[in-house]
Amino acid sequence: MLTIKDILEIKALEGIKIVAGEQGIHNEIALVNIIENPDAFDWLTPNELLLTTGYIIQEISKINCAGLVIKMRRYLQKTPQNMIDIANQHGLPLLELPYNYTLSKVISIINEKACGRYDLLNRKSLDMHNTLFKVALEGGGIESISSKLAETINNPIIFLDNDWNLLHYTDLDTNPVPLAYGINLKKNRPTFSKDFIDTIPNDLNEMQKSITRIYQLEDLAVTCRILPVAVANYIYGYIVIWQTVRDLNEFDFIVLEQASTIVALERIKQKEIEGVRLKIKQEFFDDLLTGKITSLETLQTLCDLHGLKINHKYYCIVISISHENLQNQHDLISRKYETDNIAKKCMNLIYEHSSTINGEITCLYRNNQIIILVGQQDDKQDFTINETKQYAENILQLLVQQHTQTSFLIGIGKEYKHIRFVHKSFAEAHEALRLMHRFEERGAVAHYADHSIYHFLDSNINEVQLKDFFLESLGSVFEHDLLHGTSYLLTLENYFINHMNISETAKEMFIHRNTLIYRIEKIKEILKTDLKSYEELLQIQLALRIYRLLGKSLYHDEFAD
């Protein structure tokens, strides 16, 4: 092993001398580096011999470097006493390099001496790589990799996913600060505080190697070394070393980088396995939700396999997800991974709050939609429309709070007495979503029954007939709005929504009561009616529904032109 003492004996570096930190003269040198920028500390590893012109020293002693060589007469004519004091305090060898040496020449000379040592290190690192790779191939998973890694580097290990949720950890009996003392060790939950996580760069380019951060406990400051688990510029998670047992050496860092690659492959493998399982599950649900399973015996077998109860009543909720913040992301693989990850979080949130409804829920995700089947025993009272909508409203509120850059629409189908009819509820939930999209509603919940009139009109009467009916009933009011910029149709719609109550309608529209009365009188004048005939009122309300249903297409009609 090449040491600081060996450097002083190299004849090609005649004139180099140690001026402080002699107690570290036997420090081993892993490699040689040049440092002039304090922002480079995250990129350094233990046992590096650092060359500098004198710009920095204070932080170097904290990262277990082998020593510091200062080239004289660039910034410093002589080594300042405070540098010498710090070096002596921390046992950091401080060497002076004569001005006539170039830093590149010093690196070349030292690296030449260190070649033999690198051969040994390479053999050791290859052996460790094979060991970790074998663990992964034999199906040991992250648990076995974590155990082997903690044993090798003699420090506790924490594996996290890309959202900083705990995947696995390995503590050591020799750890003076047990993991349970300072962090949350509940699986699939955030392990570290938000303040700590916010100090970690989001850009992979800023942390290609491991970085050091201090995790502050009540009366302790724990050094954490953090390494990204990444492939193809995408972070799949993090390895955190709870550095409390001993300082890391060069071999430890090589092992950690190898482990990072193997863990990334393990994460990809697990995701693929989950994908296969999900595909099998989705194929069953595709058949179930399209009504293709006609055999009760087959249905019984498949329901038992996938955790559904054939003797329960079911209804379907469909949540449409729109990822506004991912629209401009050009990397399709990263975008798909991110959308799947958001959907997984949403489903976890739904399962966590399943107790808020008196029934069993099953979730799956496909095509930017989360499908929820809600079931309950057939001897219990049916869910009311208000109950199902309230549950969906609660879920919507939770999702919006957690995912502010994502839009959600929720459609709900009717409840059916047997699971073999759940495909009807699924179709109804989709129909509710379709009309919400058509009406350009955002962040809304709708039950199929909410749009029953629209379903009837849209499914049974062609568009030309709908336009003719509307124009015959409310065409004069529509024309008046276009010509004079009034909003009589909107006024009339709110008037009926509020049960023809003047005060409530005025309050809803934020206008004065007298203003509303004036508008209603003008509408009566235009329609030549007193708005009292039952038949006329029914006709007007149907026309208003058609107005909403046809939307912008009305404005392209010849009448509007």
Side-chain angles (χ1 to χ4, degrees):
M1 294 291 185
L2 193 68
T3 66
I4 296 294
K5 182 179 179 182
D6 297 329
I7 297 298
L8 297 173
E9 296 174 358
I10 296 176
K11 290 186 179 180
L13 296 177
E14 187 176 359
I16 192 170
K17 63 180 180 179
I18 188 166
V19 295
E22 287 87 351
Q23 60 267 48
I25 199 168
H26 297 293
N27 287 356
E28 295 178 1
I29 300 172
L31 52 94
V32 189
N33 206 341
I34 298 174
I35 183 168
E36 295 293 349
N37 184 351
D39 293 333
F41 288 126
D42 280 340
W43 298 83
L44 300 177
T45 57
N47 298 101
E48 289 189 7
L49 177 65
L50 302 177
L51 310 183
T52 182
T53 53
Y55 188 66
I56 13 182
I57 184 176
Q58 180 68 41
E59 295 294 324
I60 292 174
S61 59
K62 299 179 182 179
I63 53 177
N64 199 27
C65 288
L68 179 66
V69 179
I70 303 175
K71 181 176 178 179
M72 306 306 294
R73 292 174 53 194
R74 178 65 178 91
Y75 291 107
L76 302 173
Q77 298 301 315
K78 68 175 184 176
T79 304
Q81 187 59 45
N82 67 328
M83 276 191 180
I84 293 174
D85 293 341
I86 293 172
N88 285 328
Q89 179 185 350
H90 295 281
L92 175 73
L94 189 61
L95 295 83
E96 292 181 350
L97 181 70
Y99 182 72
N100 57 302
Y101 288 102
T102 62
L103 298 183
S104 59
K105 181 178 180 181
V106 174
I107 291 175
S108 176
I109 292 170
I110 296 176
N111 283 343
E112 183 180 348
K113 294 291 183 180
C115 280
R117 181 191 153 280
Y118 279 121
D119 289 340
L120 176 62
L121 188 61
N122 287 337
R123 285 196 297 272
K124 286 179 62 180
S125 64
L126 181 60
D127 289 342
M128 180 52 63
H129 172 80
N130 291 336
T131 298
L132 292 174
F133 200 67
K134 183 179 179 182
V135 169
L137 286 177
E138 292 178 350
I142 288 180
E143 295 81 2
S144 297
I145 295 172
S146 174
S147 177
K148 187 64 181 177
L149 193 57
E151 174 190 331
T152 301
I153 68 172
N154 197 21
N155 273 296
I157 292 289
I158 307 164
F159 284 110
L160 308 171
D161 66 16
N162 59 331
D163 291 310
W164 295 89
N165 297 318
L166 180 66
L167 294 173
H168 189 74
Y169 69 92
T170 300
D171 207 345
L172 299 177
D173 293 337
T174 53
N175 178 15
V177 187
L179 295 177
Y181 175 76
I183 58 177
N184 178 18
L185 296 178
K186 190 173 182 180
K187 200 167 184 180
N188 297 321
R189 293 291 181 272
T191 300
F192 292 94
S193 66
K194 185 178 183 301
D195 290 341
F196 178 78
I197 294 172
D198 287 344
T199 67
I200 312 300
N202 292 321
D203 188 350
L204 182 61
N205 293 323
E206 296 181 32
M207 57 176 306
Q208 288 283 2
K209 292 187 177 181
S210 60
I211 62 174
T212 300
R213 292 293 183 268
I214 301 299
Y215 191 69
Q216 198 68 44
L217 299 177
E218 294 177 359
D219 52 351
L220 293 170
V222 178
T223 299
C224 294
R225 200 78 191 186
I226 304 162
L227 188 70
V229 175
V231 174
N233 294 322
Y234 189 84
I235 297 178
Y236 288 87
Y238 300 89
I239 300 175
V240 179
I241 300 89
W242 192 259
Q243 192 174 302
T244 53
V245 179
R246 68 168 176 82
D247 292 335
L248 301 180
N249 57 39
E250 182 187 12
F251 177 66
D252 295 333
F253 279 92
I254 293 174
V255 170
L256 285 169
E257 290 186 8
Q258 292 172 343
S260 171
T261 302
I262 292 171
V263 170
L265 295 175
E266 182 68 23
R267 293 284 290 153
I268 293 172
K269 182 184 77 174
Q270 289 302 319
K271 183 169 178 59
E272 290 300 317
I273 292 173
E274 289 175 10
V276 172
R277 290 174 180 165
L278 182 61
K279 185 176 181 181
I280 294 171
K281 184 178 179 180
Q282 284 182 335
E283 287 175 353
F284 159 66
F285 277 100
D286 284 343
D287 291 341
L288 178 68
L289 296 175
T290 53
K292 292 181 179 178
I293 305 175
T294 56
S295 166
L296 286 178
E297 184 179 352
T298 301
L299 185 59
Q300 176 75 66
T301 302
L302 291 173
C303 283
D304 291 343
L305 180 64
H306 295 285
L308 296 177
K309 303 293 191 301
I310 197 168
N311 61 335
H312 280 197
K313 299 177 291 187
Y314 280 92
Y315 71 89
C316 187
I317 298 175
V318 179
I319 304 175
S320 176
I321 306 174
S322 177
H323 307 284
E324 299 170 2
N325 56 329
L326 298 178
Q327 296 302 316
N328 298 323
Q329 189 167 325
H330 300 297
D331 188 335
L332 295 180
I333 295 176
S334 296
R335 184 165 64 185
K336 183 180 185 307
Y337 188 89
E338 192 64 33
T339 54
D340 289 352
N341 194 38
I342 291 174
K344 185 177 179 181
K345 291 181 190 175
C346 290
M347 288 196 294
N348 287 339
L349 198 63
I350 292 168
Y351 277 122
E352 286 175 15
H353 291 81
S354 60
S355 60
T356 59
I357 190 166
N358 185 25
E360 296 181 6
I361 69 168
T362 302
C363 294
L364 71 149
Y365 170 73
R366 66 174 192 180
N367 301 329
N368 290 324
Q369 290 184 339
I370 294 175
I371 301 166
I372 308 173
L373 298 184
V374 184
Q376 66 169 351
Q377 294 177 357
D378 57 3
D379 58 347
K380 290 190 175 181
Q381 188 175 357
D382 291 354
F383 288 108
T384 66
I385 291 176
N386 286 338
E387 285 174 339
T388 59
K389 289 181 70 173
Q390 186 58 57
Y391 171 66
E393 291 280 3
N394 294 340
I395 290 298
L396 177 63
Q397 186 176 0
L398 289 169
L399 295 178
V400 170
Q401 287 174 352
Q402 293 293 323
H403 303 280
T404 55
Q405 299 298 313
T406 304
S407 298
F408 303 94
L409 285 177
I410 302 182
I412 310 168
K414 294 185 293 185
E415 183 179 63
Y416 285 86
K417 298 295 184 182
H418 196 281
I419 193 171
R420 63 181 172 174
F421 300 120
V422 76
H423 65 278
K424 295 183 179 180
S425 185
F426 176 68
E428 291 164 355
H430 262 284
E431 178 66 9
L433 282 175
R434 184 184 71 83
L435 288 177
M436 278 193 286
H437 280 295
R438 187 164 179 173
F439 298 150
E440 297 183 348
E441 296 176 2
R442 290 291 177 266
V445 171
H447 193 284
Y448 178 77
D450 295 340
H451 298 122
S452 56
I453 294 294
Y454 298 109
H455 301 315
F456 173 77
L457 294 173
D458 201 31
S459 302
N460 295 281
I461 306 174
N462 65 50
E463 187 171 309
V464 173
Q465 291 175 311
L466 291 174
K467 283 184 179 180
D468 288 344
F469 184 89
F470 170 75
L471 295 175
E472 182 180 343
S473 304
L474 291 176
S476 55
V477 179
F478 181 63
E479 182 182 18
H480 189 280
D481 279 350
L482 288 176
L483 293 176
H484 301 285
T486 53
S487 55
Y488 289 163
L489 277 176
L490 178 62
T491 301
L492 197 56
E493 191 173 33
N494 277 280
Y495 185 53
F496 283 114
I497 288 173
N498 289 280
H499 311 291
M500 303 176 70
N501 184 302
I502 294 292
S503 298
E504 289 299 321
T505 305
K507 182 179 179 182
E508 184 73 21
M509 297 185 69
F510 300 101
I511 59 176
H512 195 275
R513 190 173 186 275
N514 291 339
T515 302
L516 178 63
I517 292 172
Y518 171 80
R519 290 185 186 181
I520 296 298
E521 292 302 319
K522 290 294 293 182
I523 292 169
K524 290 179 181 178
E525 181 182 323
I526 294 169
L527 293 176
K528 297 180 174 59
T529 181
D530 58 4
L531 293 181
K532 291 181 179 180
S533 168
Y534 173 79
E535 291 297 333
E536 283 185 343
L537 292 177
L538 177 60
Q539 183 175 334
I540 290 171
Q541 290 188 69
L542 280 174
L544 287 171
R545 295 292 198 281
I546 292 171
Y547 172 68
R548 253 196 111 190
L549 192 62
L550 296 178
K552 295 178 181 178
S553 66
L554 271 172
Y555 294 87
H556 301 290
D557 190 80
E558 290 182 4
F559 176 83
D561 294 335

